[in-house]
Amino acid sequence: MTKSISHNRERGRASFLEAMSRVASTVSIVTTDGPAGRAALTVSSLVSVSADSPLPTVLVCINKSSAACPVILSNGAFCANVLREDQQHIADIFAGRTGHVGEDRFVAANWAKGTSGAPQLVDPLASLDCRVTHSDLVGAHHVIFAEVQSLCIGSREQPLIYANRAYGTTAPLASKPDVLVAKAA
Ligand SMILES: Cc1cc2nc3c(=O)[nH]c(=O)nc-3n(C[C@H](O)[C@H](O)[C@H](O)COP(=O)(O)O)c2cc1C
């Protein structure tokens, strides 16, 4: 069912969010530490931009109203910690769903210090320690571009996924039998 967005702004926004809730994403904890302090939040907007820029580049979209946003921008660095399927509890804590705030959130896991000084999960699927290059404010979100300075790759396990407003995980599809292509008579 096609829904026009432009006709009714409010309904358009709700339809957009409903449509986007069907997009499955991995879940990461974006952390930062530095002169502006230590902070972190849960995100599903971590995206690879290019491996062919001077240094590999990623972006993440962070709501300007989140407490962590000004700290990340001021420190100019962050570490994106990609979560495994069994790390949902960490995602909930840094999403503000458990009532933990500020420093209390960090009790959720064990942390090392990344190259930028940002907290790096000791057992992520992968973590990317990044230096912010620039950011654009689009609506309520800062689109933050960053160069990957160092990374850590964990064991190949199932990622935590967020889709249809719920956590899930990936299950490899059964490999399809070779499809026989009927030769044209
Ligand atoms: C699965 C999931 C994905 C999220 N993705 C984002 C995101 O990409 N960007 C964002 O700004 N907030 C995102 N949030 C919301 C923030 O994690 C939440 O608002 C956070 O608590 C903000 O930090 P604060 O409590 O320190 O202000 C997400 C929340 C969940 C549960």
Side-chain angles (χ1 to χ4, degrees), residues 21-96:
S21 73
R22 293 191 180 22
V23 175
S25 314
T26 56
V27 181
S28 302
I29 307 297
V30 167
T31 63
T32 188
D33 198 353
R38 189 159 90 141
L41 80 159
T42 301
V43 303
S44 56
S45 58
L46 177 70
V47 174
S48 166
V49 175
S50 177
D52 307 313
S53 32
L55 281 172
T57 299
V58 297
L59 72 78
V60 63
C61 305
I62 299 185
N63 195 307
K64 63 182 181 187
S65 65
S66 82
C69 190
V71 187
I72 292 167
L73 291 173
S74 175
N75 284 337
F78 65 80
C79 183
N81 301 277
V82 185
L83 297 182
R84 298 192 317 262
E85 61 177 341
D86 61 348
Q87 294 176 314
Q88 172 186 343
H89 61 292
I90 304 176
D92 277 338
I93 287 177
F94 284 97

